[in-house]
Amino acid sequence: MPQERNAFKLGITLIVVLVLLLGILYFLAPTGGGDMKLTVRFPHNKFNTVLKPGGEVSCGGLTVGSIRSLELEEAPDKETGQNVLYVLVKIIIDSSIDLKQDCKIIPEGPLLGGSGKLVILDRGSGKSVYPDATIDGETTVTVAALTRMLASQLDPDDEASLMALVHTQLQADNPKSLVGKIHAMLDDFVAVTDSIRNEFDPKQKEVLLTKLHSILDHISDATRLLRNEMDRDIDLAMVDKVHMTLDALNSSLFTVVEMLEENREPLAATFRHIQATSQILEQQIATRIAQQLDPQVPASLMAKVHVAIDRLGRSLRDINDMTAVGREALVLNKEQISRMIVNLKETSDHLKAAGKDIRRNPWRLLYQPTMKEVAQANIFDAARSFSEAATHLDDVVTRLQAVSDAGGPEAILDDQQLAELRDQLKQTFDNFTKAENSLWEQLKIE
């Protein structure tokens, strides 16, 4: 029994070791080998190479696969989203090539015709492609495509072709063409050369060469005159006058030097006096003036002016305050002042009447009148009261007239002022009526 159990364990151990060995060999074995199916698609309008099933798929000059089939299929474009017709080339390649998703595959046709092949230019460097994947191929220009392109560019009936553009630029009668512009430039050049030739024609008066000759003649005349002015042998020449002027200036300077030599001591004394005067002005007078103009010194003239201006300002403020107080007092006591004026006027009227009566009858001061004289005096008093009432009535009318004249024709009296005038007029008229009645009563007694 123990031997059988050990043999069983040994067998199981061998089986496990073999399985592990096979797994290690499977995972450590290099990948690759075998065939992989892929699809390469090209836009139909850019694919001109003739490919046939069974064609080669090469990479680096070696055949690594073959073409299975070709077919057309519509699919949405990645950029625009619209359906585009593609040529799908299905191939079988060796999986050991390990193509990446960004690989470059182009169709290549033979130079002299026949079926072409697919060429893997670059395997790429991204992720590996998976079986049955679709890869976008890159198109190339074939000889036939170049021939068609050259034929379309050489078509003179196509306005957009190169031949039509060249033909248009070579038309001499078209001013916008290259040849037309060259002709215009040459015509302008001929006109310019004609103008230059005319300007250098000495037979014409208004041309450039004639004017240049005239300018050169004037310059020659000017140089000749200048040469004459510089000739000392000519008496009236400029150089002779300059020499005379310099001689006179030299003589004057010599005289001035002699005068300075003769009066050196008086001039020195004069300069000393001027220096002493400037020192006095600087050290005494200027200093005193600066002291008087310094407002920081209390005894200076400027400080006194500032004090006087300050006092004048305070006086003006006091006067303004006094006028304001007086105006306020007049406004507040307007009625009292008016009544005082009226009372003064009445007192003046009474004194004037008494003075007239005393001048007329001075014996009243020393004589006791009789009953008859008293009755006459009462009549006189009644007449005087009537006269005063008439005078008051005239005063009220005069005041009304003054108020009306002061306000003008458009004056509007306030209610209070109008009420005061109306009351005063009413009271004055009542007094006038009483004085009139009293006068008539005294006359009846008499």
Side-chain angles (χ1 to χ4, degrees), residues 254-333:
F254 181 74
T255 304
V256 170
V257 170
E258 289 182 349
M259 291 177 62
L260 292 175
E261 291 290 338
E262 292 176 358
N263 300 290
R264 177 174 296 179
E265 292 298 330
L267 288 175
T270 302
F271 284 122
R272 286 195 296 271
H273 291 312
I274 292 173
Q275 183 178 6
T277 303
S278 64
Q279 289 178 355
I280 293 172
L281 289 174
E282 180 180 1
Q283 297 176 1
Q284 297 180 8
I285 298 176
T287 303
R288 293 179 181 177
I289 292 174
Q291 291 177 355
Q292 292 297 325
L293 295 178
D294 189 3
Q296 303 298 329
V297 180
S300 64
L301 178 63
M302 186 61 67
K304 293 179 181 179
V305 170
H306 280 286
V307 172
I309 292 174
D310 294 337
R311 291 178 179 176
L312 179 61
R314 288 196 296 271
S315 299
L316 292 176
R317 288 194 295 271
D318 294 338
I319 291 173
N320 289 331
D321 295 337
M322 291 171 62
T323 54
V325 172
R327 182 170 61 252
E328 184 178 359
L330 289 175
V331 172
L332 295 176
N333 299 297

Coordinates of all heavy atoms in Angstrom, one line a residue, residues 254-333:
F254 N 43.0 152.2 -31.4 CA 44.2 152.9 -30.9 C 43.9 154.1 -30.1 O 44.5 154.3 -29.0 CB 45.1 153.2 -32.1 CG 46.5 153.8 -31.7 CD1 47.5 153.1 -31.1 CD2 46.7 155.2 -31.8 CE1 48.7 153.6 -30.7 CE2 47.9 155.8 -31.5 CZ 48.9 155.0 -30.9
T255 N 42.9 154.9 -30.6 CA 42.5 156.1 -29.8 C 41.9 155.7 -28.5 O 42.1 156.3 -27.4 CB 41.5 156.9 -30.6 OG1 42.1 157.2 -31.9 CG2 41.1 158.1 -29.9
V256 N 41.1 154.7 -28.5 CA 40.4 154.2 -27.2 C 41.5 153.7 -26.2 O 41.4 154.0 -25.0 CB 39.4 153.1 -27.5 CG1 38.9 152.4 -26.2 CG2 38.2 153.7 -28.3
V257 N 42.5 153.0 -26.7 CA 43.6 152.6 -25.8 C 44.3 153.7 -25.2 O 44.7 153.8 -24.0 CB 44.5 151.6 -26.6 CG1 45.8 151.3 -25.8 CG2 43.8 150.3 -26.9
E258 N 44.6 154.8 -26.1 CA 45.3 156.0 -25.5 C 44.5 156.7 -24.5 O 45.0 157.1 -23.4 CB 45.6 156.9 -26.7 CG 46.7 156.4 -27.6 CD 47.1 157.4 -28.7 OE1 46.3 158.4 -28.8 OE2 48.1 157.2 -29.4
M259 N 43.1 156.8 -24.7 CA 42.2 157.4 -23.8 C 42.2 156.6 -22.5 O 42.2 157.2 -21.4 CB 40.8 157.5 -24.3 CG 40.7 158.5 -25.5 SD 39.0 158.5 -26.2 CE 38.1 159.1 -24.7
L260 N 42.2 155.3 -22.5 CA 42.2 154.5 -21.3 C 43.5 154.7 -20.6 O 43.6 154.7 -19.3 CB 42.0 153.0 -21.7 CG 40.6 152.7 -22.2 CD1 40.5 151.2 -22.6 CD2 39.5 153.0 -21.1
E261 N 44.6 154.7 -21.3 CA 45.9 154.9 -20.7 C 46.0 156.3 -20.0 O 46.5 156.4 -18.9 CB 47.0 154.8 -21.7 CG 47.3 153.4 -22.3 CD 47.8 152.5 -21.2 OE1 48.4 153.0 -20.2 OE2 47.7 151.3 -21.3
E262 N 45.4 157.3 -20.6 CA 45.5 158.7 -20.0 C 44.5 158.8 -18.8 O 44.8 159.5 -17.9 CB 45.1 159.7 -21.1 CG 46.1 159.9 -22.2 CD 45.7 160.8 -23.3 OE1 44.5 161.3 -23.1 OE2 46.4 161.1 -24.2
N263 N 43.4 158.1 -18.8 CA 42.4 158.2 -17.7 C 42.3 157.0 -16.9 O 41.2 156.6 -16.4 CB 41.0 158.5 -18.4 CG 41.0 159.8 -19.2 OD1 41.1 160.9 -18.6 ND2 40.9 159.6 -20.5
R264 N 43.4 156.3 -16.7 CA 43.4 155.1 -15.9 C 43.1 155.3 -14.5 O 42.2 154.7 -13.9 CB 44.8 154.4 -16.0 CG 44.9 153.1 -15.2 CD 46.2 152.4 -15.4 NE 46.3 151.9 -16.8 CZ 47.3 151.3 -17.3 NH1 48.4 151.1 -16.6 NH2 47.3 150.9 -18.6
E265 N 43.7 156.4 -13.9 CA 43.5 156.7 -12.5 C 42.0 157.1 -12.2 O 41.3 156.7 -11.3 CB 44.4 157.8 -12.0 CG 45.9 157.3 -11.9 CD 46.0 156.1 -10.9 OE1 45.2 156.1 -9.9 OE2 46.9 155.3 -11.1
P266 N 41.5 158.1 -13.1 CA 40.0 158.5 -12.8 C 39.1 157.3 -13.0 O 38.1 157.1 -12.3 CB 39.8 159.5 -13.9 CG 41.1 160.1 -14.2 CD 42.1 159.0 -14.0
L267 N 39.4 156.4 -14.0 CA 38.5 155.3 -14.2 C 38.6 154.3 -13.0 O 37.6 153.7 -12.6 CB 38.9 154.5 -15.5 CG 38.6 155.2 -16.8 CD1 39.1 154.4 -18.0 CD2 37.1 155.3 -16.9
A268 N 39.9 154.1 -12.5 CA 40.0 153.3 -11.3 C 39.3 153.8 -10.1 O 38.6 153.1 -9.4 CB 41.5 153.1 -11.0
A269 N 39.4 155.2 -9.9 CA 38.6 155.8 -8.8 C 37.1 155.7 -9.0 O 36.4 155.4 -8.1 CB 39.0 157.3 -8.7
T270 N 36.7 155.8 -10.3 CA 35.2 155.6 -10.6 C 34.8 154.2 -10.3 O 33.7 154.0 -9.6 CB 35.0 156.0 -12.0 OG1 35.4 157.3 -12.3 CG2 33.5 155.8 -12.4
F271 N 35.6 153.2 -10.6 CA 35.2 151.9 -10.3 C 35.2 151.6 -8.8 O 34.3 150.9 -8.3 CB 36.1 150.9 -11.0 CG 35.9 150.8 -12.5 CD1 36.8 151.1 -13.5 CD2 34.6 150.3 -13.0 CE1 36.6 150.9 -14.8 CE2 34.4 150.2 -14.3 CZ 35.4 150.5 -15.2
R272 N 36.2 152.2 -8.1 CA 36.2 152.1 -6.6 C 34.9 152.7 -6.0 O 34.3 152.1 -5.1 CB 37.4 152.7 -6.1 CG 38.7 151.9 -6.3 CD 39.8 152.4 -5.4 NE 40.2 153.8 -5.7 CZ 41.1 154.2 -6.6 NH1 41.8 153.2 -7.3 NH2 41.4 155.4 -6.8
H273 N 34.5 153.9 -6.6 CA 33.3 154.5 -6.1 C 32.0 153.6 -6.4 O 31.1 153.5 -5.5 CB 33.1 155.9 -6.7 CG 34.1 156.9 -6.2 ND1 34.4 157.1 -4.8 CD2 34.9 157.8 -6.9 CE1 35.3 158.0 -4.7 NE2 35.6 158.5 -5.9
I274 N 32.0 153.1 -7.6 CA 30.9 152.2 -7.9 C 30.9 151.0 -7.0 O 29.8 150.5 -6.6 CB 31.1 151.8 -9.4 CG1 30.8 153.0 -10.3 CG2 30.1 150.7 -9.8 CD1 31.1 152.7 -11.8
Q275 N 32.1 150.4 -6.7 CA 32.1 149.3 -5.8 C 31.6 149.6 -4.4 O 30.9 148.9 -3.8 CB 33.6 148.7 -5.8 CG 33.7 147.5 -4.9 CD 35.1 146.9 -5.0 OE1 36.0 147.6 -5.5 NE2 35.4 145.8 -4.3
A276 N 32.1 150.8 -3.9 CA 31.6 151.2 -2.6 C 30.1 151.4 -2.6 O 29.4 151.1 -1.6 CB 32.4 152.5 -2.2
T277 N 29.6 152.1 -3.7 CA 28.2 152.3 -3.8 C 27.4 151.0 -3.8 O 26.4 150.8 -3.1 CB 27.8 153.1 -5.0 OG1 28.6 154.3 -5.0 CG2 26.3 153.4 -5.1
S278 N 27.9 150.0 -4.5 CA 27.2 148.7 -4.6 C 27.3 148.0 -3.2 O 26.3 147.3 -2.8 CB 27.9 147.8 -5.7 OG 29.2 147.6 -5.3
Q279 N 28.4 148.2 -2.5 CA 28.5 147.6 -1.2 C 27.5 148.2 -0.2 O 26.8 147.5 0.6 CB 29.9 147.7 -0.6 CG 31.0 146.9 -1.3 CD 32.3 147.1 -0.8 OE1 32.5 148.0 0.1 NE2 33.3 146.3 -1.2
I280 N 27.4 149.6 -0.3 CA 26.4 150.3 0.5 C 25.0 149.8 0.2 O 24.1 149.5 1.1 CB 26.5 151.8 0.4 CG1 27.8 152.3 0.9 CG2 25.3 152.5 1.0 CD1 28.1 153.7 0.6
L281 N 24.7 149.7 -1.1 CA 23.3 149.2 -1.5 C 23.1 147.8 -1.1 O 22.0 147.4 -0.6 CB 23.2 149.3 -3.1 CG 23.1 150.7 -3.7 CD1 23.2 150.5 -5.2 CD2 21.9 151.4 -3.2
E282 N 24.1 146.9 -1.2 CA 23.9 145.5 -0.8 C 23.9 145.3 0.7 O 23.0 144.6 1.2 CB 25.1 144.7 -1.4 CG 25.0 143.2 -1.1 CD 26.1 142.4 -1.6 OE1 27.0 143.0 -2.3 OE2 26.1 141.2 -1.5
Q283 N 24.8 146.0 1.5 CA 24.9 145.7 2.9 C 23.9 146.6 3.8 O 23.6 146.1 4.8 CB 26.3 146.0 3.3 CG 27.4 145.1 2.7 CD 28.8 145.4 3.0 OE1 29.0 146.3 3.8 NE2 29.8 144.7 2.5
Q284 N 23.6 147.8 3.3 CA 22.8 148.7 4.2 C 21.3 148.8 3.6 O 20.4 148.4 4.3 CB 23.4 150.0 4.3 CG 24.8 150.0 5.0 CD 25.5 151.3 5.1 OE1 24.8 152.3 4.8 NE2 26.7 151.4 5.5
I285 N 21.3 149.3 2.4 CA 19.9 149.7 1.9 C 19.1 148.4 1.6 O 18.0 148.2 2.0 CB 20.0 150.5 0.6 CG1 20.7 151.9 1.0 CG2 18.7 150.8 0.0 CD1 21.0 152.8 -0.2
A286 N 19.8 147.4 0.9 CA 19.1 146.2 0.6 C 18.7 145.4 1.8 O 17.6 144.8 1.9 CB 19.9 145.3 -0.4
T287 N 19.6 145.4 2.8 CA 19.2 144.7 4.1 C 18.0 145.4 4.8 O 17.1 144.7 5.3 CB 20.5 144.7 5.0 OG1 21.6 144.2 4.3 CG2 20.2 144.0 6.2
R288 N 18.1 146.7 4.8 CA 16.9 147.4 5.5 C 15.6 147.2 4.7 O 14.6 147.0 5.3 CB 17.2 148.9 5.6 CG 18.4 149.2 6.5 CD 18.7 150.7 6.5 NE 19.8 151.0 7.4 CZ 20.3 152.2 7.6 NH1 19.8 153.2 6.9 NH2 21.4 152.4 8.4
I289 N 15.7 147.2 3.4 CA 14.5 147.0 2.6 C 14.0 145.6 2.8 O 12.8 145.3 3.0 CB 14.8 147.2 1.1 CG1 15.0 148.7 0.8 CG2 13.6 146.7 0.2 CD1 15.5 149.0 -0.6
A290 N 14.9 144.6 2.9 CA 14.5 143.2 3.2 C 13.9 143.1 4.6 O 12.9 142.3 4.8 CB 15.8 142.3 3.1
Q291 N 14.5 143.8 5.5 CA 13.9 143.8 6.9 C 12.5 144.4 6.9 O 11.6 143.8 7.6 CB 14.8 144.5 7.9 CG 16.1 143.8 8.1 CD 17.0 144.6 9.1 OE1 16.7 145.8 9.4 NE2 18.2 144.1 9.4
Q292 N 12.3 145.5 6.1 CA 11.0 146.1 6.1 C 10.0 145.2 5.3 O 8.8 145.3 5.6 CB 11.1 147.5 5.4 CG 11.8 148.5 6.2 CD 11.2 148.8 7.6 OE1 9.9 148.8 7.7 NE2 11.9 149.0 8.6
L293 N 10.4 144.4 4.4 CA 9.6 143.5 3.6 C 9.4 142.1 4.3 O 8.7 141.3 3.7 CB 10.1 143.4 2.2 CG 10.1 144.7 1.4 CD1 10.7 144.4 0.0 CD2 8.7 145.3 1.3
D294 N 10.0 141.9 5.4 CA 9.9 140.6 6.1 C 8.6 140.6 7.0 O 8.6 141.4 8.0 CB 11.1 140.3 6.9 CG 11.1 138.9 7.5 OD1 10.2 138.1 7.1 OD2 12.1 138.5 8.2
P295 N 7.6 139.8 6.7 CA 6.4 139.9 7.5 C 6.6 139.2 8.9 O 5.7 139.4 9.8 CB 5.4 139.1 6.7 CG 6.2 138.2 5.8 CD 7.4 138.9 5.5
Q296 N 7.7 138.5 9.1 CA 7.9 137.8 10.4 C 8.4 138.8 11.4 O 8.3 138.5 12.6 CB 9.0 136.7 10.2 CG 8.6 135.6 9.1 CD 7.3 134.9 9.5 OE1 7.0 134.8 10.7 NE2 6.5 134.5 8.6
V297 N 9.0 140.0 11.0 CA 9.4 141.0 11.9 C 8.3 141.9 12.3 O 7.7 142.5 11.4 CB 10.6 141.8 11.3 CG1 11.1 142.9 12.3 CG2 11.7 140.9 10.9
P298 N 7.9 142.0 13.6 CA 6.7 142.7 14.0 C 6.8 144.2 13.6 O 5.8 144.8 13.4 CB 6.6 142.5 15.5 CG 7.4 141.2 15.8 CD 8.5 141.2 14.8
A299 N 8.0 144.8 13.7 CA 8.2 146.2 13.5 C 8.4 146.6 12.0 O 8.5 147.8 11.7 CB 9.4 146.8 14.3
S300 N 8.3 145.6 11.1 CA 8.6 145.9 9.7 C 7.3 146.5 9.0 O 6.2 146.4 9.6 CB 9.0 144.6 9.0 OG 7.9 143.7 9.0
L301 N 7.6 147.1 7.9 CA 6.5 147.7 7.2 C 5.5 146.7 6.7 O 4.3 146.9 6.7 CB 7.1 148.5 6.0 CG 6.0 149.2 5.1 CD1 5.3 150.3 5.8 CD2 6.8 149.9 3.9
M302 N 5.9 145.6 6.2 CA 5.0 144.5 5.7 C 4.2 144.0 6.8 O 3.0 143.7 6.6 CB 5.8 143.4 5.0 CG 5.0 142.3 4.3 SD 4.0 143.0 3.0 CE 5.3 143.5 1.8
A303 N 4.8 143.8 8.0 CA 4.0 143.3 9.1 C 2.9 144.3 9.5 O 1.8 143.9 9.8 CB 4.9 143.0 10.3
K304 N 3.3 145.6 9.5 CA 2.3 146.6 9.8 C 1.1 146.7 8.8 O 0.0 146.9 9.1 CB 2.9 148.0 9.9 CG 3.9 148.1 11.1 CD 4.6 149.5 11.2 CE 5.5 149.6 12.4 NZ 6.2 150.9 12.4
V305 N 1.5 146.5 7.5 CA 0.5 146.4 6.5 C -0.4 145.3 6.7 O -1.7 145.4 6.6 CB 1.2 146.4 5.1 CG1 0.2 146.1 4.0 CG2 1.9 147.6 4.8
H306 N 0.1 144.1 7.1 CA -0.7 142.9 7.3 C -1.7 143.2 8.5 O -2.8 142.9 8.5 CB 0.2 141.7 7.7 CG 0.7 141.1 6.4 ND1 -0.1 140.3 5.6 CD2 1.9 141.1 5.9 CE1 0.7 139.8 4.6 NE2 1.9 140.3 4.8
V307 N -1.1 143.9 9.6 CA -2.0 144.2 10.8 C -3.1 145.2 10.3 O -4.2 145.0 10.7 CB -1.1 144.8 11.9 CG1 -2.0 145.3 13.0 CG2 -0.1 143.7 12.4
A308 N -2.7 146.2 9.5 CA -3.7 147.2 9.1 C -4.8 146.5 8.3 O -6.0 146.8 8.4 CB -3.0 148.3 8.3
I309 N -4.4 145.6 7.4 CA -5.4 144.9 6.5 C -6.3 144.1 7.4 O -7.5 144.0 7.2 CB -4.6 144.1 5.5 CG1 -3.9 145.1 4.5 CG2 -5.6 143.2 4.7 CD1 -3.1 144.3 3.4
D310 N -5.7 143.4 8.4 CA -6.5 142.6 9.3 C -7.5 143.4 10.1 O -8.7 143.1 10.2 CB -5.6 141.8 10.3 CG -4.7 140.8 9.6 OD1 -5.1 140.4 8.5 OD2 -3.7 140.4 10.1
R311 N -7.0 144.6 10.6 CA -7.9 145.5 11.3 C -9.0 146.0 10.4 O -10.2 146.2 10.8 CB -7.1 146.7 11.9 CG -6.2 146.2 13.0 CD -5.4 147.4 13.6 NE -4.6 147.0 14.7 CZ -3.7 147.8 15.3 NH1 -3.6 149.1 14.9 NH2 -3.0 147.4 16.3
L312 N -8.6 146.4 9.1 CA -9.6 146.9 8.2 C -10.7 145.8 7.9 O -11.9 146.0 7.8 CB -8.9 147.3 6.9 CG -9.8 147.8 5.7 CD1 -10.6 149.0 6.2 CD2 -9.0 148.0 4.5
G313 N -10.2 144.5 7.8 CA -11.2 143.4 7.6 C -12.1 143.3 8.8 O -13.3 143.1 8.6
R314 N -11.6 143.4 10.0 CA -12.5 143.3 11.2 C -13.4 144.5 11.2 O -14.6 144.3 11.6 CB -11.6 143.3 12.5 CG -10.9 141.9 12.7 CD -10.4 141.8 14.1 NE -9.4 142.9 14.4 CZ -8.1 142.7 14.2 NH1 -7.6 141.6 13.7 NH2 -7.2 143.7 14.6
S315 N -12.9 145.7 10.8 CA -13.8 146.8 10.8 C -14.9 146.7 9.8 O -16.1 147.0 10.1 CB -13.0 148.1 10.5 OG -12.0 148.3 11.4
L316 N -14.6 146.1 8.6 CA -15.7 145.9 7.6 C -16.7 144.9 8.1 O -17.9 145.0 7.9 CB -15.0 145.4 6.3 CG -14.2 146.5 5.6 CD1 -13.5 145.9 4.4 CD2 -15.0 147.7 5.2
R317 N -16.1 143.8 8.8 CA -17.1 142.8 9.4 C -18.0 143.5 10.4 O -19.2 143.2 10.5 CB -16.3 141.7 9.9 CG -15.7 140.8 8.9 CD -15.2 139.4 9.5 NE -14.2 139.6 10.5 CZ -12.9 139.6 10.1 NH1 -12.5 139.5 8.9 NH2 -11.9 139.8 11.1
D318 N -17.4 144.4 11.3 CA -18.2 145.1 12.3 C -19.2 145.9 11.6 O -20.4 146.0 12.1 CB -17.3 145.9 13.2 CG -16.4 145.0 14.0 OD1 -16.7 143.8 14.2 OD2 -15.3 145.5 14.5
I319 N -18.8 146.6 10.6 CA -19.8 147.5 9.9 C -20.9 146.7 9.3 O -22.1 147.0 9.3 CB -19.1 148.3 8.8 CG1 -18.2 149.4 9.5 CG2 -20.1 149.1 7.9 CD1 -17.3 150.1 8.5
N320 N -20.6 145.5 8.7 CA -21.6 144.6 8.2 C -22.5 144.2 9.3 O -23.8 144.1 9.1 CB -20.9 143.4 7.5 CG -20.2 143.8 6.2 OD1 -20.7 144.8 5.5 ND2 -19.2 143.1 5.8
D321 N -21.9 143.8 10.4 CA -22.8 143.4 11.5 C -23.7 144.5 12.0 O -24.9 144.3 12.3 CB -21.9 142.9 12.7 CG -21.1 141.7 12.4 OD1 -21.5 141.0 11.4 OD2 -20.1 141.4 13.0
M322 N -23.2 145.8 12.1 CA -24.0 146.9 12.5 C -25.1 147.2 11.5 O -26.3 147.4 11.9 CB -23.1 148.2 12.6 CG -22.1 148.1 13.8 SD -20.9 149.5 13.7 CE -22.0 150.9 13.9
T323 N -24.8 147.1 10.2 CA -25.8 147.4 9.2 C -26.9 146.3 9.3 O -28.1 146.5 9.1 CB -25.2 147.4 7.8 OG1 -24.5 146.2 7.6 CG2 -24.3 148.6 7.6
A324 N -26.4 145.0 9.5 CA -27.4 143.9 9.6 C -28.3 144.1 10.8 O -29.5 143.9 10.8 CB -26.7 142.6 9.7
V325 N -27.7 144.6 12.0 CA -28.5 144.8 13.2 C -29.4 145.9 13.0 O -30.6 145.9 13.4 CB -27.6 145.1 14.4 CG1 -28.4 145.5 15.6 CG2 -26.8 143.8 14.7
G326 N -28.9 147.0 12.3 CA -29.8 148.2 12.1 C -31.0 147.8 11.1 O -32.1 148.2 11.4
R327 N -30.7 147.0 10.1 CA -31.7 146.6 9.2 C -32.7 145.7 9.9 O -34.0 145.9 9.7 CB -31.1 145.9 8.0 CG -32.1 145.4 7.0 CD -31.5 144.9 5.7 NE -30.6 143.7 6.0 CZ -29.3 143.7 6.0 NH1 -28.7 144.8 5.7 NH2 -28.6 142.6 6.3
E328 N -32.2 144.9 10.8 CA -33.2 144.0 11.5 C -34.0 144.8 12.5 O -35.3 144.6 12.6 CB -32.4 143.0 12.3 CG -33.2 141.9 13.0 CD -32.4 140.9 13.7 OE1 -31.1 141.0 13.6 OE2 -33.0 140.0 14.4
A329 N -33.4 145.8 13.1 CA -34.2 146.7 14.0 C -35.2 147.5 13.3 O -36.4 147.6 13.7 CB -33.2 147.6 14.8
L330 N -34.9 148.0 12.1 CA -35.8 148.8 11.3 C -37.0 147.8 10.8 O -38.2 148.3 10.8 CB -35.2 149.4 10.1 CG -34.2 150.6 10.4 CD1 -33.5 151.0 9.1 CD2 -35.0 151.7 11.0
V331 N -36.7 146.6 10.4 CA -37.7 145.7 10.0 C -38.6 145.3 11.2 O -39.9 145.3 11.0 CB -37.1 144.4 9.4 CG1 -38.1 143.4 9.1 CG2 -36.3 144.8 8.1
L332 N -38.0 145.1 12.3 CA -38.8 144.6 13.5 C -39.7 145.8 14.0 O -40.8 145.6 14.6 CB -37.9 144.0 14.6 CG -37.2 142.7 14.2 CD1 -36.3 142.3 15.3 CD2 -38.2 141.6 13.9
N333 N -39.2 147.1 14.0 CA -39.9 148.2 14.6 C -40.4 149.1 13.5 O -40.5 150.4 13.7 CB -38.9 149.0 15.5 CG -38.4 148.1 16.6 OD1 -39.2 147.6 17.5 ND2 -37.1 147.8 16.6

